[in-house]
Amino acid sequence: MSARAALAIRRWTPLSVAAVGTLAALAAALAFGPLFLDANALDRLTTLFIYVLLATMWNALAGYGGLVSVGQQAFFGIGAYAAIRLSSFGVGVYPALLLGGACAAALAYALSGFALRLRGGEFAIGMWVLAELLHLLVNLDRLIQGETGTSLIALNAFSPEHRRDYNYWLALASMGALVALVFALLRGRLGASVQAIRDNEEAAASLGVRVLATKRILFVVAGAGCGLAGTLYLATSISFQPATYFGVQWTAYMIFMALVGGLGTFEGPILGAIVFFLMESFFGATGIWYLVGLGATAVAFALYLPRGLWGTLEERFGLKLLPVGYRVAGAEGDGPARGRT
Amino acid sequence: MARASEQLPGDRSILAAEGVSKRFGALRVLEQVDFAVAAGEAVGIVGPNGAGKTTLLNVLAGAYAASAGTVRFRGANVTSSGAAERCRLGLARSHQVPRPFGGMTVFENTLVAASAGGGLRGATACERALDSLELCGMLRLANRRAESLGLLDRKRLELARALATGPTVLLLDEIGGGLTDAEADELVGAILGLRERGIALVWIEHLVHVLVRVVTRLVCMDAGRIIADGAPEAVMADAAVIDAYLGQGVA
Ligand SMILES: Nc1ncnc2c1ncn2[C@@H]1O[C@H](COP(=O)(O)OP(=O)(O)OP(=O)(O)O)[C@@H](O)[C@H]1O
Ligand SMILES: [Mg+2]
């Protein structure tokens, strides 16, 4: 009994409290970005925020929920398409962009009953097929003019300077809100349940986990996040070509960021998004060689650092800045290191 | 052959399979099985490999849908409810081949059970999770990733997780195999403790000498049917049981 009484559950550490505080301060400082950053920096950061959002969503799905989707571009594309449609109906352009994310969430909900019954590879490929189907359906809309595409012309009502600031704020707020939401969800009851489903669905069910309902929450949140990313991308580029938005490369980027950063760690994919962003900034103009470089990097990580950058740091040094798990203080290995043999 | 279900009126049973059959395609694994457990009772199930013991447990727990027949739990017909729902009603089980949540710590494994199955929140859920780990002698390993555990600890974790759901009936599938005598004593002690708390037990085990230290009733299955059901000594002395099961190694 004495051993038992000495135990306590620890979730925050001084380091992680400091990290969250720093991140909050950084986000607050970034909110004033348009006051002190030049146009190029604002544009680049807007892109980075979109990448962080995408990487966090894919990681939540695959890293925590075991839902490896190759079709997240479905939500990216539908979010952008919905924004264009809503705008054509007379909805204000920025509300339409936000509602585009909500439409993607609604689509995720509608698809979940079917998609989430698929497992493993079937789910991965099934999502890709769904994305292709949605791509074809969107092409049927006259407004879109097939693969020629269309533009969110209502955005032209704003001057380029205003648009840049608004897009930046929208991207920062979307990223901040969704990353915080996913963090809160993963720290809560949902987090333990989705990881249990990821590791063994039958065992999770045998312990009372409502498998479908639990996966659905994650799937809908990820749909909303990817949809918002799509509307944000639309806000920055204005033009909408279905093949671009529904392209599987978006999911490839998400996978790259999550794998390089560290799948199944909360911090990793954020780091992965920064790596991806830097690679794109420096090598993006080199065309085919950039893509070769991305592929080679992904392969190198898969072979030599399968846990990704952050996953490796976490394993070596027990670093946890944004902990979603639990440590039992007083039990063996309650120090920072993960208890691996 | 005395059938315990005759001695046990339906209204006293907390968990019952009535005329349950299970087929996998053409393979008939359970044939018209009637099996009931009273509140707080401890029943052992033995039988040769492939007799259908695990399948019966899977049908009781809701992991498999019965091909025919009815499953009742705490007075309700649960035949069509899933495993998760039955668990939340108080029916927990362990797996013959352990199914740990490998990427989570041992503590987190039991916490999922306490919160999802036990319906507990926050600190109460944590307490329940720690209590069940303590009972299974696993507190020391609380921070270990479950994928790093050896087979014996995985089996202990199966038990700890099932307990953390706060069951009224616990279905155990071969959690004693491979234990040393001292470890078996420990396990028997822990399980007797569960009985004192009023938890009913259904325990599948090939180690009959361990089983009889806990159970008051023994069921023997063979080829998808219950061939004997009653007091352990009587079942062990049953000619059909000796022929089908004990004869293999004992005689
Ligand atoms: N999911 C399944 N699909 C097909 N056949 C199955 C399935 N599960 C079990 N069986 C078959 O059903 C029969 C009974 O299996 P079961 O696991 O219930 O036996 P058991 O009594 O638990 O045996 P053991 O003592 O070896 O654990 C076996 O022939 C097995 O191959
Ligand atoms: Mg078995």
Side-chain angles (χ1 to χ4, degrees):
Chain A
M1 250 353 248
S2 57
R4 167 75 177 74
L7 298 176
I9 304 305
R10 199 184 62 208
R11 306 202 67 192
W12 290 107
T13 61
L15 180 67
S16 61
V17 170
V20 170
T22 308
L23 281 180
L26 181 66
L30 282 171
F32 294 98
L35 298 182
F36 59 86
L37 293 170
D38 65 21
N40 183 49
L42 287 177
D43 281 341
R44 297 304 299 147
L45 280 176
T46 303
T47 304
L48 175 61
F49 298 157
I50 295 174
Y51 291 163
V52 170
L53 180 54
L54 286 173
T56 301
M57 293 305 129
W58 202 80
N59 182 48
L61 270 184
Y64 286 95
L67 295 167
V68 177
S69 164
V70 190
Q72 285 311 99
Q73 66 274 17
F75 305 103
F76 191 87
I78 280 295
Y81 166 71
I84 286 186
R85 250 295 156 210
L86 289 169
S87 171
S88 81
F89 292 147
V91 178
V93 66
Y94 277 99
L97 290 170
L98 282 174
L99 284 172
C103 290
L107 173 73
Y109 188 87
L111 294 179
S112 64
F114 164 71
L116 296 180
R117 276 174 224 283
L118 303 176
R119 302 258 199 114
E122 287 178 9
F123 172 77
I125 301 304
M127 285 303 300
W128 193 351
V129 172
L130 283 174
E132 289 298 311
L133 267 174
L134 286 162
H135 177 187
L136 292 176
L137 286 177
V138 164
N139 277 358
L140 292 179
D141 187 340
R142 285 269 169 76
L143 180 71
I144 302 304
Q145 308 174 69
E147 292 298 353
T148 314
T150 183
S151 295
L152 188 56
I153 37 179
L155 273 174
N156 292 326
F158 299 89
S159 74
E161 292 72 31
H162 280 126
R163 216 159 58 209
R164 178 173 289 120
D165 292 354
Y166 294 161
N167 290 347
Y168 172 89
W169 277 318
L170 191 61
L172 178 63
S174 303
M175 174 195 73
L178 273 139
V179 170
L181 173 67
V182 168
F183 185 60
L185 284 175
L186 290 179
R187 274 181 66 86
R189 276 159 53 91
L190 184 91
S193 295
V194 296
Q195 291 178 73
I197 294 170
R198 170 197 68 196
D199 289 348
N200 198 306
E201 192 163 316
E202 283 75 21
S206 83
L207 294 171
V209 175
R210 293 175 169 89
V211 172
L212 186 61
T214 304
K215 282 185 187 176
R216 179 176 281 145
I217 295 172
L218 199 64
F219 190 66
V220 168
V221 169
C226 293
L228 264 180
T231 70
L232 291 166
Y233 189 78
L234 176 66
T236 59
S237 71
I238 302 187
S239 66
F240 177 83
Q241 296 86 25
T244 305
Y245 284 74
F246 284 98
V248 73
Q249 81 272 10
W250 291 108
T251 292
Y253 296 160
M254 291 184 232
I255 296 175
F256 178 90
M257 297 185 280
L259 286 187
V260 166
L263 192 64
T265 66
F266 196 85
E267 304 88 338
I270 300 176
L271 188 61
I274 296 173
V275 170
F276 177 67
F277 171 77
L278 292 175
M279 284 184 73
E280 191 195 36
S281 300
F282 291 111
F283 308 115
T286 60
I288 187 76
W289 290 108
Y290 163 62
L291 294 177
V292 171
L294 280 187
T297 310
V299 169
F301 268 87
L303 289 178
Y304 302 111
L305 271 190
R307 295 183 154 253
L309 290 172
W310 192 266
T312 307
L313 285 176
E314 185 183 286
E315 199 177 11
R316 294 260 167 84
F317 306 108
L319 268 183
K320 274 220 171 286
L321 297 185
L322 302 172
V324 295
Y326 296 76
R327 307 298 298 173
V328 179
E332 181 181 291
D334 72 332
R338 279 286 215 181
R340 309 197 81 229
T341 42
Chain B
M1 176 180 59
R3 294 223 109 184
S5 49
E6 286 160 16
Q7 308 150 9
L8 192 81
D11 49 78
R12 267 196 56 216
S13 71
I14 186 165
L15 173 67
E18 296 164 5
V20 161
S21 299
K22 180 66 189 172
R23 290 183 300 272
F24 294 104
L27 187 66
R28 304 163 84 84
V29 177
L30 293 178
E31 296 264 20
Q32 290 285 326
V33 172
D34 291 303
F35 174 73
V37 188
E41 194 185 16
V43 188
I45 301 184
V46 295
N49 295 115
K53 306 180 293 295
T54 299
T55 304
L56 174 61
L57 191 146
N58 277 326
V59 170
L60 288 172
Y64 292 164
S67 307
T70 308
V71 178
R72 291 181 201 285
F73 182 54
R74 297 172 87 171
N77 184 338
V78 295
T79 314
S80 59
S81 36
E85 200 178 322
R86 294 188 204 184
C87 174
R88 291 194 299 273
L89 288 171
L91 181 58
R93 59 89 55 90
S94 74
H95 296 90
Q96 178 173 355
V97 178
R99 294 169 169 261
F101 304 131
M104 305 168 76
T105 67
V106 165
F107 172 77
E108 288 163 356
N109 267 261
T110 49
L111 183 67
V112 171
S115 63
L120 302 178
R121 297 273 195 283
T124 332
C126 291
E127 286 302 309
R128 168 78 71 74
L130 288 174
D131 285 342
S132 7
L133 286 179
E134 181 178 35
L135 206 103
C136 302
M138 294 196 81
L139 267 186
R140 201 171 45 78
L141 302 173
N143 291 321
R144 280 273 291 274
R145 260 167 98 98
E147 67 189 358
S148 73
L149 298 178
L151 181 62
L152 284 183
D153 283 326
R154 286 177 186 226
K155 288 194 173 187
R156 287 198 183 103
L157 183 58
E158 282 288 330
L159 178 59
R161 264 190 342 196
L163 273 179
T165 65
T168 46
V169 177
L170 187 54
L171 310 174
L172 300 174
D173 198 353
E174 298 194 26
I175 52 166
L179 297 183
T180 65
D181 284 349
E183 286 164 342
D185 286 346
E186 224 176 278
L187 180 66
V188 166
I191 291 183
L192 286 172
L194 303 182
R195 290 216 56 195
E196 278 163 27
R197 294 195 206 172
I199 299 175
L201 289 174
V202 177
W203 186 0
I204 299 171
E205 193 62 74
H206 286 297
L207 306 172
V208 183
H209 63 284
V210 174
L211 203 52
V212 295
R213 288 165 65 185
V214 175
V215 302
T216 51
R217 195 179 126 209
L218 200 59
V219 167
C220 182
M221 291 184 72
D222 184 34
R225 295 171 191 277
I226 291 181
I227 58 166
D229 182 344
E233 315 79 60
V235 170
M236 303 282 284
D238 189 299
V241 173
I242 293 172
D243 188 41
Y245 181 54
L246 299 173
Q248 296 172 330
V250 175

